[in-house]
Coordinates of all heavy atoms in Angstrom, one line a residue:
M224 N 16.2 -2.2 10.5 CA 16.0 -3.7 10.4 C 15.7 -4.1 9.0 O 15.2 -3.2 8.2 CB 14.9 -4.1 11.4 CG 13.5 -3.8 10.8 SD 12.3 -4.7 11.9 CE 10.9 -5.0 10.8
I225 N 15.9 -5.3 8.7 CA 15.5 -5.9 7.4 C 14.4 -6.8 7.6 O 14.6 -7.8 8.4 CB 16.7 -6.6 6.7 CG1 17.9 -5.6 6.4 CG2 16.3 -7.3 5.4 CD1 19.1 -6.2 5.9
C226 N 13.2 -6.6 7.1 CA 12.1 -7.5 7.4 C 12.1 -8.6 6.3 O 12.7 -8.5 5.3 CB 10.8 -6.7 7.4 SG 10.2 -6.3 5.8
E227 N 11.3 -9.6 6.6 CA 11.3 -10.8 5.7 C 10.7 -10.4 4.3 O 11.0 -11.1 3.4 CB 10.5 -11.9 6.3 CG 9.0 -11.6 6.6 CD 8.3 -12.8 7.2 OE1 8.0 -13.7 6.4 OE2 7.9 -12.8 8.4
H228 N 9.9 -9.3 4.3 CA 9.3 -9.0 3.0 C 10.3 -8.3 2.1 O 10.0 -8.2 0.9 CB 8.1 -8.0 3.2 CG 7.1 -8.5 4.2 ND1 7.1 -8.1 5.5 CD2 6.2 -9.5 4.1 CE1 6.2 -8.8 6.2 NE2 5.6 -9.6 5.3
E229 N 11.4 -7.9 2.6 CA 12.4 -7.3 1.8 C 13.3 -8.4 1.1 O 14.0 -8.0 0.1 CB 13.3 -6.4 2.6 CG 12.7 -5.1 3.1 CD 13.7 -4.2 3.6 OE1 14.2 -4.5 4.8 OE2 14.1 -3.3 2.9
K230 N 13.3 -9.6 1.6 CA 14.2 -10.6 1.1 C 13.7 -10.9 -0.4 O 12.5 -11.2 -0.6 CB 14.2 -11.8 2.0 CG 14.9 -11.5 3.3 CD 14.8 -12.7 4.3 CE 15.4 -12.3 5.6 NZ 14.8 -13.1 6.7
G231 N 14.7 -10.9 -1.3 CA 14.3 -11.3 -2.7 C 13.7 -10.1 -3.5 O 13.4 -10.3 -4.6
L232 N 13.6 -8.9 -2.8 CA 13.1 -7.8 -3.6 C 14.1 -7.4 -4.6 O 15.3 -7.3 -4.4 CB 13.0 -6.6 -2.6 CG 11.6 -6.3 -1.9 CD1 11.7 -5.0 -1.2 CD2 10.5 -6.4 -2.9
E233 N 13.6 -7.1 -5.8 CA 14.4 -6.6 -6.9 C 13.8 -5.3 -7.4 O 13.0 -5.3 -8.3 CB 14.5 -7.6 -8.0 CG 15.3 -8.9 -7.6 CD 15.3 -9.9 -8.7 OE1 15.3 -9.5 -9.9 OE2 15.4 -11.1 -8.4
P234 N 14.2 -4.2 -6.8 CA 13.6 -2.9 -7.1 C 13.7 -2.6 -8.6 O 14.7 -2.9 -9.2 CB 14.3 -1.9 -6.2 CG 14.9 -2.7 -5.1 CD 15.1 -4.0 -5.7
V235 N 12.7 -1.9 -9.1 CA 12.7 -1.5 -10.5 C 12.4 0.0 -10.6 O 11.9 0.6 -9.7 CB 11.7 -2.3 -11.4 CG1 12.0 -3.8 -11.4 CG2 10.3 -2.1 -10.8
P236 N 12.7 0.6 -11.8 CA 12.5 2.1 -11.9 C 11.0 2.4 -11.7 O 10.1 1.6 -12.0 CB 13.0 2.4 -13.3 CG 13.9 1.3 -13.7 CD 13.4 0.1 -12.9
A237 N 10.7 3.6 -11.3 CA 9.4 4.1 -11.2 C 8.6 4.1 -12.5 O 9.2 4.4 -13.5 CB 9.4 5.6 -10.6
R238 N 7.4 3.6 -12.4 CA 6.6 3.5 -13.7 C 6.1 4.9 -14.1 O 5.9 5.2 -15.2 CB 5.4 2.6 -13.4 CG 5.8 1.2 -13.2 CD 4.7 0.1 -13.2 NE 3.4 0.4 -12.7 CZ 2.7 -0.5 -12.0 NH1 3.2 -1.7 -11.8 NH2 1.5 -0.1 -11.6
T239 N 5.8 5.7 -13.1 CA 5.3 7.1 -13.4 C 6.1 8.1 -12.5 O 5.5 8.6 -11.5 CB 3.8 7.2 -13.1 OG1 3.6 6.8 -11.7 CG2 2.9 6.4 -14.0
P240 N 7.3 8.4 -12.9 CA 8.2 9.2 -12.1 C 7.6 10.6 -11.9 O 8.0 11.4 -11.0 CB 9.5 9.3 -12.9 CG 9.3 8.7 -14.2 CD 8.0 7.9 -14.1
E241 N 6.6 11.0 -12.7 CA 6.1 12.4 -12.6 C 5.0 12.5 -11.5 O 4.6 13.6 -11.2 CB 5.5 12.8 -14.0 CG 4.3 12.0 -14.5 CD 4.7 10.7 -15.2 OE1 5.8 10.2 -15.1 OE2 3.8 10.2 -16.0
G242 N 4.6 11.4 -11.0 CA 3.6 11.5 -9.9 C 2.9 10.2 -9.6 O 3.2 9.1 -10.1
C243 N 1.9 10.3 -8.7 CA 1.1 9.1 -8.3 C 0.3 8.6 -9.5 O -0.5 9.4 -10.1 CB 0.1 9.5 -7.2 SG -1.1 8.3 -6.8
E244 N 0.4 7.3 -9.8 CA -0.2 6.7 -10.9 C -1.7 7.0 -11.0 O -2.3 7.4 -12.0 CB 0.1 5.2 -11.0 CG -0.1 4.6 -12.3 CD 0.5 3.2 -12.3 OE1 1.7 3.0 -11.9 OE2 -0.2 2.2 -12.8
E245 N -2.4 6.7 -9.9 CA -3.9 6.8 -9.8 C -4.3 8.3 -9.8 O -5.3 8.6 -10.5 CB -4.4 6.1 -8.6 CG -4.4 4.6 -8.6 CD -3.1 4.0 -8.1 OE1 -2.1 4.7 -8.1 OE2 -3.1 2.8 -7.8
C246 N -3.6 9.1 -9.1 CA -3.9 10.5 -9.1 C -3.8 11.2 -10.5 O -4.6 12.0 -10.9 CB -3.1 11.3 -8.0 SG -3.6 10.9 -6.3
L247 N -2.7 10.8 -11.2 CA -2.5 11.3 -12.5 C -3.7 10.9 -13.4 O -4.2 11.7 -14.2 CB -1.2 10.8 -13.1 CG 0.1 11.4 -12.5 CD1 1.3 10.6 -13.1 CD2 0.2 12.8 -12.9
R248 N -4.2 9.7 -13.2 CA -5.3 9.2 -14.0 C -6.6 10.0 -13.7 O -7.4 10.3 -14.6 CB -5.5 7.7 -13.8 CG -6.0 7.0 -15.0 CD -5.6 5.5 -15.0 NE -5.9 4.9 -13.7 CZ -5.1 3.9 -13.2 NH1 -4.1 3.5 -13.8 NH2 -5.4 3.4 -12.0
T249 N -6.8 10.3 -12.5 CA -8.1 10.9 -12.1 C -8.0 12.4 -11.9 O -9.0 13.0 -11.7 CB -8.6 10.3 -10.7 OG1 -7.6 10.6 -9.7 CG2 -8.8 8.8 -10.8
G250 N -6.8 12.9 -12.1 CA -6.7 14.4 -12.0 C -6.7 14.8 -10.5 O -6.9 16.0 -10.3
S251 N -6.4 13.9 -9.6 CA -6.3 14.3 -8.2 C -5.0 14.8 -7.8 O -4.0 14.8 -8.6 CB -6.7 13.1 -7.4 OG -6.8 13.4 -6.0
T252 N -4.8 15.2 -6.6 CA -3.5 15.8 -6.1 C -3.0 15.0 -4.9 O -3.8 14.2 -4.3 CB -3.7 17.2 -5.6 OG1 -4.7 17.3 -4.6 CG2 -4.1 18.1 -6.8
W253 N -1.8 15.1 -4.7 CA -1.1 14.3 -3.6 C -0.3 15.2 -2.7 O 0.0 16.4 -3.1 CB -0.3 13.2 -4.2 CG 0.8 13.7 -5.1 CD1 2.0 14.2 -4.8 CD2 0.7 13.8 -6.6 NE1 2.7 14.5 -5.9 CE2 1.9 14.3 -7.0 CE3 -0.3 13.4 -7.5 CZ2 2.1 14.5 -8.4 CZ3 -0.1 13.6 -8.8 CH2 1.1 14.1 -9.3
V254 N 0.2 14.7 -1.6 CA 1.1 15.4 -0.7 C 2.5 15.0 -0.9 O 3.4 15.7 -1.2 CB 0.6 15.3 0.8 CG1 1.6 16.1 1.7 CG2 -0.8 15.7 1.0
H255 N 2.7 13.7 -0.6 CA 4.1 13.1 -0.9 C 3.9 11.8 -1.7 O 2.9 11.2 -1.7 CB 4.7 12.7 0.5 CG 5.0 13.9 1.3 ND1 4.4 14.1 2.5 CD2 5.8 15.0 1.1 CE1 4.8 15.3 3.1 NE2 5.6 15.9 2.2
L256 N 5.1 11.4 -2.3 CA 5.0 10.2 -3.2 C 5.9 9.1 -2.5 O 6.9 9.3 -1.9 CB 5.6 10.6 -4.5 CG 4.8 11.6 -5.4 CD1 5.6 12.0 -6.6 CD2 3.4 11.0 -5.7
R257 N 5.4 7.9 -2.8 CA 6.0 6.7 -2.3 C 6.2 5.7 -3.5 O 5.4 5.6 -4.4 CB 5.2 6.0 -1.3 CG 4.8 6.9 -0.1 CD 5.9 7.3 0.7 NE 5.6 8.2 1.9 CZ 6.1 9.4 2.1 NH1 6.9 9.9 1.2 NH2 5.7 10.1 3.1
L258 N 7.4 5.0 -3.5 CA 7.7 4.1 -4.6 C 7.6 2.6 -4.1 O 8.2 2.3 -3.1 CB 9.1 4.3 -5.0 CG 9.7 3.4 -6.1 CD1 8.9 3.6 -7.4 CD2 11.2 3.6 -6.3
C259 N 6.8 1.8 -4.8 CA 6.7 0.4 -4.4 C 8.0 -0.3 -4.9 O 8.3 -0.2 -6.0 CB 5.5 -0.2 -5.1 SG 5.4 -2.0 -5.0
L260 N 8.6 -0.9 -3.9 CA 9.9 -1.6 -4.2 C 9.8 -2.9 -4.9 O 10.7 -3.6 -5.2 CB 10.8 -1.7 -3.0 CG 11.2 -0.3 -2.4 CD1 12.2 -0.5 -1.3 CD2 11.8 0.6 -3.5
T261 N 8.5 -3.4 -5.0 CA 8.3 -4.6 -5.7 C 8.1 -4.4 -7.2 O 8.6 -5.2 -8.0 CB 7.1 -5.4 -5.2 OG1 7.2 -5.5 -3.7 CG2 6.9 -6.7 -5.8
C262 N 7.3 -3.4 -7.6 CA 6.9 -3.3 -9.0 C 7.1 -1.9 -9.6 O 6.9 -1.7 -10.8 CB 5.5 -3.7 -9.2 SG 4.3 -2.5 -8.6
G263 N 7.6 -0.9 -8.8 CA 7.8 0.4 -9.4 C 6.6 1.3 -9.4 O 6.6 2.4 -10.0
H264 N 5.5 0.9 -8.8 CA 4.3 1.7 -8.7 C 4.6 3.0 -7.9 O 5.2 2.8 -6.8 CB 3.2 0.9 -8.1 CG 2.0 1.7 -7.7 ND1 1.8 2.3 -6.5 CD2 0.9 2.1 -8.5 CE1 0.6 3.0 -6.5 NE2 0.1 2.8 -7.6
V265 N 4.2 4.1 -8.4 CA 4.3 5.3 -7.6 C 2.9 5.7 -7.1 O 2.0 5.8 -7.8 CB 4.9 6.5 -8.4 CG1 4.9 7.8 -7.6 CG2 6.3 6.2 -8.9
G266 N 2.8 5.8 -5.7 CA 1.5 6.2 -5.1 C 1.7 7.3 -4.1 O 2.8 7.7 -3.8
C267 N 0.6 7.8 -3.7 CA 0.6 9.0 -2.8 C 0.6 8.5 -1.3 O 0.1 7.4 -1.1 CB -0.4 10.0 -3.1 SG -2.1 9.3 -3.2
C268 N 1.1 9.3 -0.4 CA 1.3 8.9 1.0 C -0.1 8.9 1.8 O -1.1 9.3 1.3 CB 2.2 9.9 1.6 SG 1.5 11.5 1.9
D269 N 0.0 8.5 3.0 CA -1.1 8.4 3.9 C -1.8 9.7 4.2 O -2.9 9.8 4.7 CB -0.8 7.6 5.1 CG -0.4 6.2 4.9 OD1 -0.4 5.8 3.7 OD2 0.0 5.4 5.8
S270 N -1.0 10.8 4.0 CA -1.6 12.1 4.3 C -2.3 12.7 3.0 O -2.9 13.7 3.1 CB -0.5 13.1 4.7 OG 0.3 12.6 5.8
S271 N -2.2 12.0 1.9 CA -2.9 12.4 0.7 C -4.3 11.9 0.7 O -4.6 10.8 1.3 CB -2.1 11.9 -0.5 OG -0.7 12.2 -0.5
P272 N -5.2 12.5 0.0 CA -6.6 12.1 0.0 C -6.7 10.7 -0.6 O -7.5 9.9 -0.1 CB -7.3 13.1 -1.0 CG -6.4 14.3 -1.0 CD -5.0 13.8 -0.7
G273 N -6.0 10.3 -1.6 CA -6.1 9.0 -2.2 C -5.5 7.8 -1.4 O -5.9 6.7 -1.6
Q274 N -4.4 8.1 -0.7 CA -3.6 7.1 0.0 C -3.3 5.9 -0.9 O -3.5 4.7 -0.6 CB -4.4 6.6 1.2 CG -4.7 7.7 2.2 CD -5.1 7.2 3.6 OE1 -5.5 6.0 3.7 NE2 -5.1 8.0 4.6
H275 N -2.9 6.2 -2.2 CA -2.8 5.2 -3.2 C -1.6 4.3 -2.9 O -1.6 3.1 -3.4 CB -2.7 5.8 -4.5 CG -4.0 6.4 -5.0 ND1 -4.2 7.7 -5.3 CD2 -5.2 5.8 -5.1 CE1 -5.5 7.9 -5.6 NE2 -6.1 6.8 -5.5
A276 N -0.6 4.7 -2.2 CA 0.6 3.8 -1.9 C 0.1 2.7 -1.0 O 0.4 1.5 -1.2 CB 1.7 4.6 -1.3
K277 N -0.6 3.1 0.1 CA -1.1 2.1 1.0 C -2.1 1.1 0.3 O -2.0 -0.1 0.5 CB -1.7 2.7 2.2 CG -2.3 1.8 3.2 CD -2.4 2.4 4.6 CE -3.6 3.4 4.7 NZ -3.6 4.0 6.1
R278 N -3.0 1.7 -0.4 CA -4.0 0.8 -1.1 C -3.3 -0.1 -2.1 O -3.7 -1.3 -2.2 CB -5.0 1.7 -1.8 CG -6.0 2.3 -0.8 CD -6.6 3.6 -1.3 NE -7.7 3.3 -2.3 CZ -8.6 4.2 -2.6 NH1 -8.6 5.4 -2.0 NH2 -9.4 3.9 -3.6
H279 N -2.3 0.4 -2.8 CA -1.6 -0.5 -3.7 C -0.9 -1.6 -2.9 O -1.0 -2.8 -3.3 CB -0.6 0.3 -4.5 CG 0.4 -0.5 -5.3 ND1 0.1 -1.0 -6.6 CD2 1.6 -1.0 -5.0 CE1 1.1 -1.7 -7.0 NE2 2.0 -1.8 -6.1
A280 N -0.3 -1.3 -1.8 CA 0.4 -2.3 -1.0 C -0.5 -3.4 -0.6 O -0.1 -4.6 -0.6 CB 1.1 -1.6 0.2
H281 N -1.7 -3.1 -0.1 CA -2.6 -4.1 0.4 C -3.2 -4.9 -0.8 O -3.3 -6.1 -0.7 CB -3.6 -3.5 1.3 CG -3.1 -3.0 2.6 ND1 -2.5 -3.8 3.5 CD2 -3.0 -1.7 3.1 CE1 -2.1 -3.1 4.5 NE2 -2.4 -1.9 4.3
R282 N -3.6 -4.2 -1.8 CA -4.3 -4.8 -2.9 C -3.3 -5.8 -3.7 O -3.8 -6.9 -4.0 CB -4.8 -3.8 -3.9 CG -5.8 -4.3 -5.0 CD -6.3 -3.2 -5.9 NE -5.2 -2.5 -6.5 CZ -5.1 -1.1 -6.5 NH1 -6.0 -0.4 -5.9 NH2 -4.1 -0.6 -7.1
E283 N -2.1 -5.4 -3.9 CA -1.2 -6.2 -4.7 C -0.3 -7.1 -3.8 O 0.5 -7.8 -4.3 CB -0.3 -5.3 -5.5 CG -1.0 -4.3 -6.4 CD -1.8 -5.0 -7.5 OE1 -1.4 -6.1 -7.9 OE2 -2.8 -4.4 -8.0
S284 N -0.4 -6.9 -2.5 CA 0.5 -7.6 -1.5 C 2.0 -7.3 -1.9 O 2.8 -8.1 -2.0 CB 0.3 -9.1 -1.6 OG -0.9 -9.5 -1.1
H285 N 2.2 -6.0 -2.0 CA 3.5 -5.4 -2.2 C 3.8 -4.5 -1.0 O 3.7 -3.3 -1.1 CB 3.6 -4.6 -3.5 CG 3.5 -5.4 -4.8 ND1 3.3 -4.8 -6.0 CD2 3.6 -6.7 -5.0 CE1 3.3 -5.7 -6.9 NE2 3.4 -6.9 -6.3
P286 N 4.3 -5.1 0.1 CA 4.3 -4.3 1.4 C 5.4 -3.3 1.5 O 5.2 -2.4 2.4 CB 4.4 -5.4 2.4 CG 5.1 -6.5 1.8 CD 4.6 -6.5 0.3
V287 N 6.5 -3.4 0.8 CA 7.6 -2.5 1.1 C 7.7 -1.3 0.1 O 7.7 -1.5 -1.1 CB 8.9 -3.3 1.0 CG1 10.1 -2.4 1.5 CG2 8.8 -4.5 1.9
I288 N 7.7 -0.1 0.6 CA 7.8 1.1 -0.2 C 8.9 1.9 0.3 O 9.4 1.8 1.4 CB 6.5 2.0 -0.1 CG1 6.1 2.3 1.4 CG2 5.3 1.3 -0.8 CD1 6.4 3.7 1.8
A289 N 9.4 2.8 -0.6 CA 10.4 3.8 -0.2 C 9.8 5.2 -0.5 O 8.9 5.4 -1.3 CB 11.7 3.6 -1.0
S290 N 10.4 6.2 0.2 CA 10.0 7.5 -0.1 C 10.5 7.9 -1.5 O 11.6 7.5 -1.9 CB 10.6 8.5 0.9 OG 10.3 9.8 0.5
F291 N 9.6 8.6 -2.2 CA 9.9 9.0 -3.6 C 10.0 10.6 -3.6 O 9.7 11.2 -4.6 CB 8.9 8.5 -4.6 CG 9.4 8.5 -6.0 CD1 10.6 7.9 -6.4 CD2 8.7 9.2 -7.0 CE1 11.1 7.9 -7.7 CE2 9.2 9.2 -8.3 CZ 10.3 8.6 -8.7
E292 N 10.4 11.1 -2.4 CA 10.6 12.6 -2.3 C 12.1 12.9 -2.5 O 12.9 12.1 -2.1 CB 10.1 13.0 -0.9 CG 8.6 13.0 -0.7 CD 7.9 13.8 -1.7 OE1 8.2 15.0 -1.9 OE2 7.0 13.3 -2.4
P293 N 12.4 14.0 -3.1 CA 13.8 14.4 -3.3 C 14.6 14.3 -2.1 O 14.2 14.8 -1.0 CB 13.7 15.8 -3.9 CG 12.3 15.9 -4.4 CD 11.5 15.0 -3.6
D294 N 15.7 13.6 -2.1 CA 16.7 13.5 -1.1 C 16.2 12.7 0.2 O 17.0 12.6 1.1 CB 17.2 14.9 -0.6 CG 17.9 15.6 -1.8 OD1 18.5 14.9 -2.6 OD2 17.7 16.8 -1.9
E295 N 15.0 12.2 0.1 CA 14.6 11.3 1.3 C 15.0 9.9 1.0 O 14.9 9.4 -0.1 CB 13.1 11.4 1.5 CG 12.6 12.7 2.1 CD 11.2 12.6 2.6 OE1 10.6 11.6 2.6 OE2 10.7 13.7 2.9
R296 N 15.6 9.3 2.0 CA 16.1 7.9 1.8 C 15.7 7.1 3.0 O 16.3 6.9 4.0 CB 17.7 7.9 1.8 CG 18.3 8.7 0.6 CD 18.0 7.9 -0.7 NE 18.6 8.6 -1.9 CZ 17.9 9.4 -2.7 NH1 16.6 9.7 -2.4 NH2 18.4 9.9 -3.7
W297 N 14.5 6.5 2.9 CA 14.0 5.6 3.9 C 12.9 4.7 3.3 O 12.4 4.9 2.2 CB 13.4 6.3 5.1 CG 12.3 7.3 4.8 CD1 12.5 8.7 4.6 CD2 10.9 7.1 4.6 NE1 11.3 9.3 4.4 CE2 10.3 8.4 4.3 CE3 10.1 6.0 4.6 CZ2 9.0 8.5 4.1 CZ3 8.8 6.1 4.4 CH2 8.2 7.4 4.1
A298 N 12.7 3.5 3.9 CA 11.8 2.6 3.4 C 10.8 2.1 4.6 O 11.2 2.3 5.8 CB 12.5 1.3 2.9
W299 N 9.7 1.6 4.2 CA 8.6 1.3 5.2 C 8.0 0.0 4.8 O 7.8 -0.2 3.6 CB 7.6 2.5 5.3 CG 6.4 2.2 6.1 CD1 5.2 1.7 5.6 CD2 6.2 2.4 7.5 NE1 4.3 1.7 6.7 CE2 4.9 2.1 7.8 CE3 7.1 2.9 8.5 CZ2 4.4 2.2 9.1 CZ3 6.6 3.0 9.8 CH2 5.3 2.6 10.1
C300 N 7.6 -0.8 5.7 CA 6.9 -2.1 5.4 C 5.5 -1.9 6.0 O 5.3 -1.7 7.2 CB 7.6 -3.3 6.0 SG 6.6 -4.8 5.8
Y301 N 4.5 -2.1 5.1 CA 3.1 -1.9 5.6 C 2.6 -3.1 6.4 O 1.6 -3.0 7.1 CB 2.2 -1.7 4.4 CG 2.1 -0.3 3.9 CD1 2.7 0.1 2.7 CD2 1.5 0.7 4.7 CE1 2.6 1.4 2.3 CE2 1.5 2.0 4.3 CZ 2.0 2.4 3.1 OH 2.0 3.7 2.7
V302 N 3.2 -4.3 6.3 CA 2.8 -5.4 7.0 C 3.4 -5.3 8.5 O 2.7 -5.5 9.4 CB 3.3 -6.7 6.4 CG1 3.0 -7.9 7.3 CG2 2.5 -6.9 5.1
D303 N 4.7 -5.0 8.5 CA 5.3 -4.9 9.9 C 5.0 -3.5 10.5 O 5.2 -3.3 11.7 CB 6.8 -5.0 9.7 CG 7.2 -6.5 9.3 OD1 6.9 -7.4 10.0 OD2 7.8 -6.6 8.2
E304 N 4.5 -2.6 9.7 CA 4.3 -1.2 10.1 C 5.5 -0.7 10.8 O 5.4 -0.2 12.0 CB 3.0 -1.2 11.0 CG 1.8 -1.6 10.3 CD 0.5 -1.2 11.0 OE1 0.4 -1.6 12.2 OE2 -0.3 -0.5 10.5
A305 N 6.6 -0.8 10.1 CA 7.9 -0.3 10.7 C 8.8 0.2 9.6 O 8.7 -0.2 8.4 CB 8.6 -1.5 11.4
M306 N 9.7 1.1 10.0 CA 10.8 1.5 9.1 C 11.7 0.3 8.9 O 12.0 -0.4 9.8 CB 11.6 2.6 9.7 CG 10.8 3.8 10.1 SD 10.2 4.8 8.7 CE 11.7 5.6 8.2
V307 N 12.1 0.1 7.7 CA 13.0 -1.0 7.4 C 14.2 -0.4 6.6 O 14.2 0.7 6.1 CB 12.3 -2.1 6.5 CG1 11.3 -2.8 7.4 CG2 11.7 -1.6 5.3
D308 N 15.3 -1.2 6.5 CA 16.5 -0.7 5.8 C 16.2 -0.5 4.3 O 15.5 -1.4 3.7 CB 17.6 -1.7 5.9 CG 18.2 -1.7 7.3 OD1 17.8 -0.8 8.1 OD2 19.1 -2.6 7.6
L309 N 16.6 0.6 3.8 CA 16.4 0.8 2.4 C 17.4 -0.1 1.6 O 18.6 0.1 1.8 CB 16.7 2.3 2.1 CG 16.5 2.7 0.6 CD1 15.1 2.6 0.2 CD2 17.0 4.2 0.5
P310 N 16.9 -0.9 0.7 CA 17.8 -1.8 -0.1 C 18.7 -0.9 -1.0 O 18.3 0.0 -1.6 CB 16.9 -2.6 -0.9 CG 15.5 -2.6 -0.3 CD 15.5 -1.2 0.4
E311 N 20.0 -1.3 -1.0 CA 21.0 -0.6 -1.8 C 20.5 -0.5 -3.3 O 20.7 0.5 -3.9 CB 22.3 -1.5 -1.7 CG 23.5 -0.7 -2.2 CD 24.0 0.2 -1.1 OE1 23.9 0.0 0.1 OE2 24.6 1.2 -1.6
E312 N 19.9 -1.6 -3.7 CA 19.5 -1.7 -5.2 C 18.4 -0.6 -5.5 O 18.2 -0.3 -6.7 CB 18.9 -3.1 -5.5 CG 19.9 -4.2 -5.2 CD 19.9 -4.6 -3.7 OE1 18.9 -4.5 -3.1 OE2 21.0 -4.9 -3.3
A313 N 17.7 -0.1 -4.5 CA 16.7 0.8 -4.8 C 17.2 2.3 -5.0 O 16.5 3.1 -5.6 CB 15.6 0.8 -3.7
M314 N 18.4 2.5 -4.5 CA 18.9 3.9 -4.5 C 18.9 4.6 -5.8 O 18.5 5.7 -5.9 CB 20.4 3.9 -4.0 CG 20.5 3.4 -2.5 SD 20.2 4.6 -1.3 CE 20.8 3.9 0.1
P315 N 19.3 3.9 -6.9 CA 19.3 4.6 -8.2 C 18.0 5.1 -8.7 O 17.9 5.9 -9.5 CB 19.9 3.6 -9.2 CG 20.5 2.5 -8.3 CD 19.8 2.5 -7.0
Y316 N 16.9 4.5 -8.1 CA 15.6 4.8 -8.6 C 14.8 5.9 -7.8 O 13.7 6.2 -8.1 CB 14.7 3.5 -8.6 CG 15.4 2.4 -9.4 CD1 15.5 1.1 -8.9 CD2 15.9 2.6 -10.6 CE1 16.1 0.1 -9.6 CE2 16.6 1.6 -11.4 CZ 16.6 0.4 -10.8 OH 17.3 -0.6 -11.5
L317 N 15.5 6.3 -6.7 CA 14.9 7.4 -5.9 C 15.3 8.7 -6.5 O 16.2 8.9 -7.3 CB 15.3 7.2 -4.5 CG 15.0 5.9 -3.9 CD1 15.5 5.8 -2.4 CD2 13.6 5.5 -4.0
R318 N 14.6 9.8 -6.0 CA 14.8 11.1 -6.6 C 15.9 11.9 -5.7 O 16.1 11.6 -4.6 CB 13.5 11.9 -6.5 CG 12.5 11.4 -7.5 CD 11.1 11.9 -7.2 NE 10.9 13.3 -7.6 CZ 10.0 14.0 -7.1 NH1 9.2 13.6 -6.2 NH2 9.9 15.3 -7.5
Ligands
ZN517 ZN1 7.9 -6.6 6.3
ZN518 ZN1 -2.7 9.1 -5.4
ZN519 ZN1 3.8 -2.8 -6.3

């Protein structure tokens, strides 16, 4: 499905392709990486201690993320709490 939060999204390249922005700053570790499709923030997943992707989504009101794991192609909306269609424009920015 395409949720209303995806409308008008213009995905941009990852700001910190090497890892979770907050974890890199604090020297923490993560399990999986997620890419914010609104601003290019890279955060860690809900199984990671920091849960920075989710916290970023709520704090910045940027609800739609995509997996930033190699060869994974899916997107998730934190408001709808559902898998959503991965926008074509985001493909070049995934790993
Ligand atoms: Zn949504
Ligand atoms: Zn993190
Ligand atoms: Zn964002």
Side-chain angles (χ1 to χ4, degrees):
M224 78 169 210
I225 298 174
C226 76
E227 60 176 291
H228 307 100
E229 287 192 284
K230 292 174 186 155
L232 268 188
E233 293 177 27
V235 295
R238 295 193 322 219
T239 56
E241 65 276 21
C243 170
E244 194 168 314
E245 285 89 342
C246 287
L247 287 171
R248 207 154 51 213
T249 60
S251 185
T252 57
W253 57 83
V254 182
H255 297 116
L256 296 174
R257 307 292 181 238
L258 176 67
C259 171
L260 294 187
T261 306
C262 73
H264 170 268
V265 176
C267 52
C268 70
D269 295 357
S270 306
S271 306
Q274 301 192 345
H275 291 122
K277 179 157 72 184
R278 284 158 72 165
H279 171 86
H281 289 300
R282 190 177 58 232
E283 307 292 334
S284 295
H285 290 170
V287 187
I288 54 104
S290 176
F291 199 56
E292 291 299 310
D294 299 324
E295 284 192 11
R296 295 290 179 268
W297 54 263
W299 172 266
C300 175
Y301 276 112
V302 172
D303 294 300
E304 297 194 307
M306 304 287 288
V307 291
D308 287 353
L309 180 65
E311 196 77 31
E312 302 78 36
M314 297 280 192
Y316 306 132
L317 304 181
R318 292 162 76 201

